[in-house]
PDB file of all heavy atoms in Angstrom:
ATOM      1  N   ALA A 857      -7.095   5.674  11.215  1.00 73.00           N
ATOM      2  CA  ALA A 857      -6.412   6.150  10.006  1.00 73.00           C
ATOM      3  C   ALA A 857      -5.492   5.053   9.501  1.00 73.00           C
ATOM      4  O   ALA A 857      -4.827   4.375  10.291  1.00 73.00           O
ATOM      5  CB  ALA A 857      -5.599   7.404  10.327  1.00 73.00           C
ATOM      6  N   PRO A 858      -5.466   4.818   8.188  1.00 75.00           N
ATOM      7  CA  PRO A 858      -4.568   3.789   7.666  1.00 75.00           C
ATOM      8  C   PRO A 858      -3.115   4.142   7.961  1.00 75.00           C
ATOM      9  O   PRO A 858      -2.747   5.319   7.979  1.00 75.00           O
ATOM     10  CB  PRO A 858      -4.847   3.795   6.153  1.00 75.00           C
ATOM     11  CG  PRO A 858      -5.455   5.125   5.882  1.00 75.00           C
ATOM     12  CD  PRO A 858      -6.177   5.535   7.131  1.00 75.00           C
ATOM     13  N   ALA A 859      -2.338   3.118   8.222  1.00 73.00           N
ATOM     14  CA  ALA A 859      -0.921   3.349   8.498  1.00 73.00           C
ATOM     15  C   ALA A 859      -0.272   3.971   7.271  1.00 73.00           C
ATOM     16  O   ALA A 859      -0.516   3.535   6.144  1.00 73.00           O
ATOM     17  CB  ALA A 859      -0.241   2.033   8.853  1.00 73.00           C
ATOM     18  N   ARG A 860       0.509   4.978   7.506  1.00 77.00           N
ATOM     19  CA  ARG A 860       1.186   5.625   6.391  1.00 77.00           C
ATOM     20  C   ARG A 860       2.255   4.710   5.830  1.00 77.00           C
ATOM     21  O   ARG A 860       3.078   4.174   6.565  1.00 77.00           O
ATOM     22  CB  ARG A 860       1.845   6.928   6.845  1.00 77.00           C
ATOM     23  CG  ARG A 860       0.893   8.087   6.919  1.00 77.00           C
ATOM     24  CD  ARG A 860       1.661   9.355   7.149  1.00 77.00           C
ATOM     25  NE  ARG A 860       0.845  10.526   6.910  1.00 77.00           N
ATOM     26  CZ  ARG A 860       1.297  11.754   7.013  1.00 77.00           C
ATOM     27  NH1 ARG A 860       2.546  11.969   7.340  1.00 77.00           N
ATOM     28  NH2 ARG A 860       0.512  12.780   6.781  1.00 77.00           N
ATOM     29  N   ARG A 861       2.194   4.559   4.522  1.00 76.00           N
ATOM     30  CA  ARG A 861       3.227   3.746   3.881  1.00 76.00           C
ATOM     31  C   ARG A 861       4.496   4.573   3.751  1.00 76.00           C
ATOM     32  O   ARG A 861       4.479   5.701   3.264  1.00 76.00           O
ATOM     33  CB  ARG A 861       2.759   3.293   2.499  1.00 76.00           C
ATOM     34  CG  ARG A 861       1.589   2.338   2.555  1.00 76.00           C
ATOM     35  CD  ARG A 861       1.180   1.892   1.187  1.00 76.00           C
ATOM     36  NE  ARG A 861       2.249   1.119   0.548  1.00 76.00           N
ATOM     37  CZ  ARG A 861       2.168   0.634  -0.680  1.00 76.00           C
ATOM     38  NH1 ARG A 861       1.113   0.859  -1.411  1.00 76.00           N
ATOM     39  NH2 ARG A 861       3.163  -0.052  -1.188  1.00 76.00           N
ATOM     40  N   ARG A 862       5.559   3.988   4.233  1.00 75.00           N
ATOM     41  CA  ARG A 862       6.832   4.694   4.104  1.00 75.00           C
ATOM     42  C   ARG A 862       7.278   4.625   2.656  1.00 75.00           C
ATOM     43  O   ARG A 862       7.177   3.574   2.009  1.00 75.00           O
ATOM     44  CB  ARG A 862       7.878   4.041   5.009  1.00 75.00           C
ATOM     45  CG  ARG A 862       7.577   4.232   6.480  1.00 75.00           C
ATOM     46  CD  ARG A 862       8.515   3.441   7.348  1.00 75.00           C
ATOM     47  NE  ARG A 862       9.905   3.765   7.085  1.00 75.00           N
ATOM     48  CZ  ARG A 862      10.922   3.135   7.666  1.00 75.00           C
ATOM     49  NH1 ARG A 862      10.693   2.167   8.519  1.00 75.00           N
ATOM     50  NH2 ARG A 862      12.150   3.477   7.391  1.00 75.00           N
ATOM     51  N   PRO A 863       7.749   5.735   2.119  1.00 72.00           N
ATOM     52  CA  PRO A 863       8.211   5.682   0.733  1.00 72.00           C
ATOM     53  C   PRO A 863       9.333   4.665   0.581  1.00 72.00           C
ATOM     54  O   PRO A 863      10.171   4.513   1.468  1.00 72.00           O
ATOM     55  CB  PRO A 863       8.704   7.105   0.449  1.00 72.00           C
ATOM     56  CG  PRO A 863       8.762   7.803   1.766  1.00 72.00           C
ATOM     57  CD  PRO A 863       7.935   7.026   2.743  1.00 72.00           C
ATOM     58  N   ALA A 864       9.290   3.955  -0.536  1.00 74.00           N
ATOM     59  CA  ALA A 864      10.310   2.935  -0.784  1.00 74.00           C
ATOM     60  C   ALA A 864      11.685   3.597  -0.855  1.00 74.00           C
ATOM     61  O   ALA A 864      11.845   4.668  -1.437  1.00 74.00           O
ATOM     62  CB  ALA A 864      10.012   2.206  -2.082  1.00 74.00           C
ATOM     63  N   GLN A 865      12.646   2.946  -0.246  1.00 84.00           N
ATOM     64  CA  GLN A 865      14.009   3.455  -0.264  1.00 84.00           C
ATOM     65  C   GLN A 865      14.769   2.781  -1.412  1.00 84.00           C
ATOM     66  O   GLN A 865      14.899   1.569  -1.443  1.00 84.00           O
ATOM     67  CB  GLN A 865      14.707   3.156   1.072  1.00 84.00           C
ATOM     68  CG  GLN A 865      14.057   3.847   2.261  1.00 84.00           C
ATOM     69  CD  GLN A 865      14.149   5.357   2.154  1.00 84.00           C
ATOM     70  OE1 GLN A 865      15.188   5.905   1.816  1.00 84.00           O
ATOM     71  NE2 GLN A 865      13.045   6.028   2.439  1.00 84.00           N
ATOM     72  N   HIS A 866      15.196   3.578  -2.364  1.00 87.00           N
ATOM     73  CA  HIS A 866      15.941   3.046  -3.502  1.00 87.00           C
ATOM     74  C   HIS A 866      17.408   3.453  -3.386  1.00 87.00           C
ATOM     75  O   HIS A 866      17.711   4.555  -2.923  1.00 87.00           O
ATOM     76  CB  HIS A 866      15.388   3.613  -4.820  1.00 87.00           C
ATOM     77  CG  HIS A 866      13.960   3.261  -5.075  1.00 87.00           C
ATOM     78  ND1 HIS A 866      13.563   1.997  -5.432  1.00 87.00           N
ATOM     79  CD2 HIS A 866      12.831   4.009  -5.014  1.00 87.00           C
ATOM     80  CE1 HIS A 866      12.244   1.978  -5.583  1.00 87.00           C
ATOM     81  NE2 HIS A 866      11.783   3.184  -5.327  1.00 87.00           N
ATOM     82  N   PRO A 867      18.293   2.582  -3.835  1.00 94.00           N
ATOM     83  CA  PRO A 867      19.687   3.010  -3.901  1.00 94.00           C
ATOM     84  C   PRO A 867      19.838   4.096  -4.965  1.00 94.00           C
ATOM     85  O   PRO A 867      19.001   4.200  -5.871  1.00 94.00           O
ATOM     86  CB  PRO A 867      20.447   1.731  -4.294  1.00 94.00           C
ATOM     87  CG  PRO A 867      19.422   0.839  -4.906  1.00 94.00           C
ATOM     88  CD  PRO A 867      18.111   1.194  -4.284  1.00 94.00           C
ATOM     89  N   HIS A 868      20.880   4.894  -4.831  1.00 94.00           N
ATOM     90  CA  HIS A 868      21.100   5.993  -5.773  1.00 94.00           C
ATOM     91  C   HIS A 868      22.456   5.852  -6.437  1.00 94.00           C
ATOM     92  O   HIS A 868      23.352   5.170  -5.931  1.00 94.00           O
ATOM     93  CB  HIS A 868      21.019   7.341  -5.049  1.00 94.00           C
ATOM     94  CG  HIS A 868      19.666   7.625  -4.482  1.00 94.00           C
ATOM     95  ND1 HIS A 868      18.614   8.011  -5.267  1.00 94.00           N
ATOM     96  CD2 HIS A 868      19.193   7.542  -3.218  1.00 94.00           C
ATOM     97  CE1 HIS A 868      17.542   8.181  -4.510  1.00 94.00           C
ATOM     98  NE2 HIS A 868      17.874   7.899  -3.259  1.00 94.00           N
ATOM     99  N   LEU A 869      22.593   6.525  -7.562  1.00 95.00           N
ATOM    100  CA  LEU A 869      23.878   6.563  -8.252  1.00 95.00           C
ATOM    101  C   LEU A 869      24.843   7.453  -7.471  1.00 95.00           C
ATOM    102  O   LEU A 869      24.451   8.513  -6.983  1.00 95.00           O
ATOM    103  CB  LEU A 869      23.702   7.135  -9.657  1.00 95.00           C
ATOM    104  CG  LEU A 869      22.836   6.330 -10.639  1.00 95.00           C
ATOM    105  CD1 LEU A 869      22.596   7.166 -11.894  1.00 95.00           C
ATOM    106  CD2 LEU A 869      23.498   5.014 -10.989  1.00 95.00           C
ATOM    107  N   SER A 870      26.067   7.007  -7.381  1.00 95.00           N
ATOM    108  CA  SER A 870      27.084   7.870  -6.792  1.00 95.00           C
ATOM    109  C   SER A 870      27.485   8.901  -7.838  1.00 95.00           C
ATOM    110  O   SER A 870      27.217   8.722  -9.039  1.00 95.00           O
ATOM    111  CB  SER A 870      28.313   7.042  -6.406  1.00 95.00           C
ATOM    112  OG  SER A 870      28.976   6.582  -7.579  1.00 95.00           O
ATOM    113  N   PRO A 871      28.122   9.997  -7.420  1.00 95.00           N
ATOM    114  CA  PRO A 871      28.574  10.986  -8.417  1.00 95.00           C
ATOM    115  C   PRO A 871      29.468  10.373  -9.490  1.00 95.00           C
ATOM    116  O   PRO A 871      29.348  10.720 -10.663  1.00 95.00           O
ATOM    117  CB  PRO A 871      29.330  12.017  -7.574  1.00 95.00           C
ATOM    118  CG  PRO A 871      28.650  11.944  -6.228  1.00 95.00           C
ATOM    119  CD  PRO A 871      28.330  10.480  -6.041  1.00 95.00           C
ATOM    120  N   ALA A 872      30.318   9.426  -9.089  1.00 96.00           N
ATOM    121  CA  ALA A 872      31.221   8.805 -10.065  1.00 96.00           C
ATOM    122  C   ALA A 872      30.442   7.943 -11.060  1.00 96.00           C
ATOM    123  O   ALA A 872      30.731   7.939 -12.261  1.00 96.00           O
ATOM    124  CB  ALA A 872      32.269   7.958  -9.347  1.00 96.00           C
ATOM    125  N   GLU A 873      29.439   7.192 -10.573  1.00 95.00           N
ATOM    126  CA  GLU A 873      28.628   6.356 -11.470  1.00 95.00           C
ATOM    127  C   GLU A 873      27.825   7.222 -12.435  1.00 95.00           C
ATOM    128  O   GLU A 873      27.742   6.922 -13.634  1.00 95.00           O
ATOM    129  CB  GLU A 873      27.682   5.476 -10.645  1.00 95.00           C
ATOM    130  CG  GLU A 873      28.403   4.401  -9.846  1.00 95.00           C
ATOM    131  CD  GLU A 873      27.531   3.757  -8.786  1.00 95.00           C
ATOM    132  OE1 GLU A 873      26.520   4.380  -8.362  1.00 95.00           O
ATOM    133  OE2 GLU A 873      27.859   2.622  -8.361  1.00 95.00           O
ATOM    134  N   ALA A 874      27.251   8.298 -11.909  1.00 95.00           N
ATOM    135  CA  ALA A 874      26.474   9.199 -12.767  1.00 95.00           C
ATOM    136  C   ALA A 874      27.374   9.848 -13.818  1.00 95.00           C
ATOM    137  O   ALA A 874      26.988   9.989 -14.985  1.00 95.00           O
ATOM    138  CB  ALA A 874      25.796  10.263 -11.915  1.00 95.00           C
TER     139      ALA A 874
END
Side-chain angles (χ1 to χ4, degrees):
R860 279 189 166 182
R861 294 181 64 182
R862 292 173 56 184
Q865 297 296 316
H866 299 287
H868 296 284
L869 296 171
S870 69
E873 291 166 338

